[in-house]
Amino acid sequence: MEKKYRIAMKSHGNKANLLKLVLVTLLLFFWLGFVSAQNKSLPNRKFEVDQIRGCTGLKVKISILVPGECITGLNPCEINYGDPVVPDDPLNPNITQSIFEHTYKKPGVYDLKVLFGGLTGPGQYENVIITVDPDIKPEFEIYSCNDNSVSVKIIDENYDAYDFDFGEGAAITKLMAKNAVARYTLSGQKVITVQGRKNNGTFCSPSKSFFQAGRELPKVELTSIKSVDRKNVEIEFTPFDNIQYRLEIATNGVSGFQQLPKPSQTGTYSATVGDLDQEFYCFRIQAFDVCIGAASDEAYSQILCTQQVKLDIQSGLNTITWKSNTTGLENNDEAVSIYRNDKPYSGGAYNPTTFEDPVPNIDCNTDYSYYVVFNYPNRATSTSLKKSGKSFFTLTPDAIANVSAVTENQSVNLTWIEPPKDPILSSVLSPNTYSVYKNINKSNYLLAPSGEIPASKPPKLNYLDNTYSELTTTCYKINYADRCGNKTKDEEAIEVCPVVLNGSIDKKNSVSLVWNDYRGWQNGVSTYQVDKFAADGTLLTSTRTKTTNFIDDTQDLTNQIVSYKITALATEGDLAPSTSNLVTLTKESNLFYPTAFTPNGDKLNDNFGVSGQFIDKMDLKIYDRWGGLIFSTEKNEPWNGYYNGKQANEGAYIWKAVITDQTGKTSSYTGSVLLLKR
């Protein structure tokens, strides 16, 4: 039977009774809330609602119980749903006079009020509290069991109770509970529906899920275990839908298994263990029957065990040993695989539990990594932790004493001389790897890009740095290690600082050059050579100096673009020179023009023209003071002071010159000239 909810009437008087009305309203509000919670109707009410609680989308219908009340045009009522009914009304969006049904689209608690007679007099109103709950589909997990049974576990906290519908073929079709177990008559695909319910009986939207019922749970097998680090093991197994797995672990053996936290149904699991360097661990898994809370021993998978692995490196010998359990392993040549540097290297039976890797199979100053793989008959594998190490012979080589640096095109090429070696130890102490370190703006030395240079025959004794920039202060150090790992001392390595050249040019086209003193030779620099080049690369002059600055103020009206490079010459004459970056400077055109001229035919200042240095093309125009063009030339011809065959009037004229210099640069200049008649 449909329930109706009625609310008692209150008085709505004048202002003098306001306080009294407020108190009565509060008392009545709490009383009504209690009554509403009991879902009971009270007598002498003027209206009722069909439901006072539901989920989002709850539709409430108001019924007027007193004849003659709430008739449009005669005795209308004002209804306030506590929720927007007429959103377009800016003053009273929640109030209506003629709508007796309303749908609540948002969860919340609403105070529904009906004002009787309020439009024609003081009026009286009644109210009821409407509760709207969020419409949330319940979440649940499904686990298959033996004998076509299923277990459903609610993982939802939004409702007070849940309605289970197991569908066709189930012994229990519907059930109100938190969790449930059901058994089907036949195997096959089934549909389970779960619907949440509040204590007041309100139902919200249901959730549905499919699963496959079967006579027996599938046999689950471990397919691999892999030691990730000392504390973690990655486990993989055959995944099945709707199966609760029971994964167990034992320490240093195959007895005393303990259950691990429940694995997911993805087929992967990360197990945290004590310490793989101190112990080994064995694992097994089964499909657990949740319906009866048990499983038979026959349901367990094959046991897989990790390995406790150690690597011992002595001079010329790498030895790896392991400890584990052999359960499930066949003692043949395929039982154990040894991997070196992530590649298959050797194999054999489980015993002995030691593998030796001696010279000449290993080389000194070489990194090696090893791990052990157990190969089980069902193709399952167990992979150990990876262990790494390096070999050794100790004798400090002589440091590199002389390095030359040639700078060109935003790069620097370092070349050096290999230090002398003891002939007896040459095969051991021959450089194996050169290491170039770089320092920018006096920061810490760091390995330069591609700074590890393997030794070769004939030896490659140079390093090209394509990230070099003369805009920073950059220095280098070069160390090397011999083939057995002996390294030169950092503090003995010579610091190499390429020559960085800077240049400037003043308004008179005088060039000033300055550079840093070259460092990289143990006996220093003998002299510097300043080379000057034309734009096409032709060498113009070479000048030697003992200082680190130079001024070139020689007049040169031919070469607008000039370049300079510094070459450092070593005190030891057999060392290659070092060169700086190339600095290119462009001279200004420097225009020359008179401020007045006298076109009187005396051959003195008879013409006006604009001239300058390094001008390739000029467009000259002259205007009178009203902006009229009176002279124009693109041939750099002078103006003789005439306009239209007659001498122009005395006075000031404006000129504008657009020039193109030898570099192709276009510039505009403007000025004035005074024409005088004398």
Side-chain angles (χ1 to χ4, degrees):
M1 177 183 295
E2 183 184 47
K3 293 182 179 181
K4 302 292 183 178
Y5 301 89
R6 305 177 184 178
I7 302 301
M9 187 174 294
K10 299 184 194 177
S11 175
H12 187 64
N14 56 29
K15 296 182 178 178
N17 295 322
L18 180 60
L19 179 60
K20 186 176 182 180
L21 177 61
V22 171
L23 294 175
V24 172
T25 301
L26 291 174
L27 290 174
L28 183 59
F29 175 79
F30 289 110
W31 176 66
L32 290 175
F34 172 77
V35 172
S36 299
Q38 303 302 311
N39 290 336
K40 295 180 179 179
S41 298
L42 292 178
N44 302 320
R45 300 286 177 85
K46 287 192 173 185
F47 82 95
E48 64 182 7
V49 293
D50 57 345
Q51 39 187 345
I52 62 172
R53 187 166 186 174
C55 295
T56 304
L58 173 66
K59 186 175 183 180
V60 173
K61 182 178 180 180
I62 297 175
S63 298
I64 305 301
L65 304 178
V66 179
E69 292 285 357
C70 301
I71 299 176
T72 303
L74 295 177
N75 189 19
C77 294
E78 182 179 270
I79 303 175
N80 187 337
Y81 284 97
D83 189 44
V85 177
V86 189
D88 296 334
D89 187 343
L91 297 179
N92 298 299
N94 301 337
I95 298 175
T96 180
Q97 295 182 23
S98 58
I99 299 176
F100 294 93
E101 292 184 0
H102 179 65
T103 299
Y104 290 91
K105 298 180 180 179
K106 295 182 179 180
V109 178
Y110 301 90
D111 186 7
L112 190 160
K113 299 177 182 179
V114 179
L115 178 62
F116 294 90
L119 299 180
T120 60
Q124 293 176 324
Y125 70 85
E126 297 179 8
N127 75 323
V128 65
I129 301 301
I130 304 297
T131 303
V132 181
D133 297 311
D135 189 9
I136 302 174
K137 292 184 178 181
E139 296 183 16
F140 59 94
E141 294 176 345
I142 297 177
Y143 296 104
S144 295
C145 302
N146 289 314
D147 298 327
N148 293 325
S149 297
V150 63
S151 173
V152 180
K153 179 181 179 181
I154 298 296
I155 57 174
D156 186 279
E157 299 292 338
N158 294 300
Y159 298 97
D160 301 309
Y162 297 86
D163 179 20
F164 293 82
D165 186 346
F166 290 95
E168 297 180 0
I172 301 176
T173 303
K174 292 189 176 182
L175 179 69
M176 293 296 298
K178 280 280 188 178
N179 302 301
V181 174
R183 183 173 178 272
Y184 292 91
T185 304
L186 299 174
S187 303
Q189 189 179 69
K190 310 296 179 182
V191 179
I192 295 178
T193 303
V194 178
Q195 190 171 20
R197 187 191 70 169
K198 296 291 184 178
N199 281 336
N200 67 335
T202 299
F203 283 98
C204 291
S205 297
S207 291
K208 291 185 179 181
S209 184
F210 295 87
F211 90 105
Q212 193 76 18
R215 296 294 303 170
E216 293 183 355
L217 290 175
K219 181 67 178 293
V220 183
E221 290 290 350
L222 295 175
T223 56
S224 71
I225 61 174
K226 181 179 181 181
S227 301
V228 179
D229 53 42
R230 292 177 61 176
K231 296 288 185 180
N232 294 281
V233 178
E234 287 185 355
I235 302 172
E236 294 187 358
F237 54 90
T238 51
F240 296 95
D241 292 335
N242 305 121
I243 298 296
Q244 180 165 308
Y245 301 98
R246 184 185 181 98
L247 181 63
E248 297 179 345
I249 182 174
T251 302
N252 293 331
V254 292
S255 61
F257 277 96
Q258 301 293 321
Q259 185 175 350
L260 289 169
K262 183 178 68 174
S264 67
Q265 298 182 8
T266 61
T268 61
Y269 185 85
S270 180
T272 300
V273 297
D275 189 344
L276 285 164
D277 280 347
Q278 304 298 324
E279 300 171 323
F280 66 88
Y281 304 88
C282 296
F283 298 89
R284 66 183 184 182
I285 196 171
Q286 66 172 193
F288 188 71
D289 192 328
V290 181
C291 299
I292 62 174
S296 64
D297 290 340
E298 291 78 10
Y300 281 110
S301 68
Q302 176 176 284
I303 296 173
L304 304 186
C305 298
T306 66
Q307 306 85 356
Q308 180 185 341
V309 178
K310 293 184 179 179
L311 175 63
D312 180 42
I313 295 184
Q314 299 295 327
S315 180
L317 178 65
N318 298 344
T319 303
I320 187 167
T321 59
W322 59 90
K323 183 189 296 185
S324 187
N325 187 279
T326 60
T327 298
L329 279 176
E330 296 180 0
N331 195 24
N332 54 37
D333 290 342
E334 298 179 354
V336 178
S337 298
I338 306 297
Y339 282 72
R340 188 177 81 172
N341 295 341
D342 295 321
K343 296 180 179 180
Y345 185 59
S346 182
Y350 178 84
N351 290 309
T353 59
T354 300
F355 176 76
E356 294 183 346
D357 197 14
V359 171
N361 297 331
I362 60 173
D363 196 3
C364 57
N365 193 38
T366 301
D367 289 322
Y368 291 96
S369 63
Y370 300 86
Y371 60 86
V372 178
V373 177
F374 287 175
N375 302 302
Y376 292 87
N378 64 348
R379 296 183 179 274
T381 60
S382 171
T383 303
S384 76
L385 283 179
K386 184 185 296 185
K387 298 295 180 179
S388 302
K390 183 183 287 189
S391 340
F392 55 92
F393 179 87
T394 304
L395 184 65
T396 303
D398 294 330
I400 295 172
N402 292 295
V403 182
S404 298
V406 175
T407 304
E408 187 172 1
N409 296 330
Q410 295 297 312
S411 66
V412 64
N413 188 36
L414 306 179
T415 59
W416 57 90
I417 296 177
E418 187 174 343
K421 299 180 293 293
D422 187 327
I424 298 176
L425 301 176
S426 60
S427 61
V428 177
L429 299 180
S430 297
N432 182 63
T433 303
Y434 292 96
S435 300
V436 181
Y437 294 88
K438 185 176 180 180
N439 174 314
I440 298 176
N441 293 332
K442 300 183 179 179
S443 60
N444 294 329
Y445 273 96
L446 300 175
L447 186 67
S450 303
E452 293 286 355
I453 304 172
S456 59
K457 292 182 180 181
K460 178 185 178 183
L461 304 177
N462 77 288
Y463 169 74
L464 179 64
D465 184 6
N466 288 317
T467 65
Y468 171 80
S469 173
E470 68 272 10
L471 300 179
T472 60
T473 300
T474 304
C475 296
Y476 302 86
K477 284 186 177 182
I478 302 174
N479 293 331
Y480 69 91
D482 63 31
R483 60 183 302 273
C484 286
N486 303 302
K487 297 180 180 180
T488 54
K489 295 181 179 180
D490 289 342
E491 60 271 19
E492 294 179 359
I494 193 167
E495 189 172 48
V496 184
C497 300
V499 178
V500 177
L501 173 63
N502 290 290
S504 61
I505 188 168
D506 62 16
K507 294 182 179 180
K508 296 181 179 180
N509 288 333
S510 177
V511 175
S512 296
L513 303 175
V514 63
W515 60 92
N516 62 288
D517 199 8
Y518 178 71
R519 286 184 292 172
W521 298 319
Q522 63 179 355
N523 293 325
V525 177
S526 170
T527 187
Y528 293 99
Q529 179 175 299
V530 182
D531 292 328
K532 177 180 178 181
F533 302 91
D536 61 359
T538 302
L539 178 64
L540 299 176
T541 60
S542 290
T543 307
R544 293 200 174 188
T545 179
K546 295 286 187 180
T547 65
T548 57
N549 56 77
F550 182 76
I551 294 177
D552 182 8
D553 56 2
T554 57
Q555 188 175 17
D556 181 1
L557 300 180
T558 303
N559 297 287
Q560 185 182 8
I561 301 175
V562 290
S563 300
Y564 297 87
K565 181 183 283 288
I566 305 300
T567 300
L569 303 175
T571 301
E572 297 181 44
D574 58 344
L575 298 177
S578 296
T579 62
S580 74
N581 54 297
L582 186 70
V583 171
T584 300
L585 301 171
T586 302
K587 300 176 183 179
E588 294 296 329
S589 297
N590 291 339
L591 295 187
F592 304 101
Y593 49 86
T595 59
F597 73 111
T598 57
N600 54 13
D602 62 359
K603 297 184 180 180
L604 295 175
N605 298 322
D606 283 341
N607 298 311
F608 169 77
V610 177
S611 62
Q613 300 171 334
F614 317 117
I615 295 176
D616 186 57
K617 180 182 178 182
M618 178 186 294
D619 180 5
L620 177 63
K621 290 182 172 58
I622 298 177
Y623 304 87
D624 60 22
R625 59 182 178 176
W626 295 281
L629 179 66
I630 64 173
F631 179 77
S632 176
T633 180
E634 294 183 357
K635 300 179 179 179
N636 200 14
E637 299 171 330
W639 180 38
N640 61 7
Y642 280 77
Y643 175 61
N644 289 336
K646 296 181 180 181
Q647 192 177 61
N649 295 329
E650 187 176 69
Y653 293 85
I654 304 300
W655 61 267
K656 181 178 181 181
V658 179
I659 68 166
T660 303
D661 62 17
Q662 294 177 359
T663 68
K665 175 184 175 183
T666 300
S667 304
S668 296
Y669 299 88
T670 301
S672 63
V673 62
L674 187 62
L675 187 153
L676 301 174
K677 292 184 177 181
R678 296 182 180 177

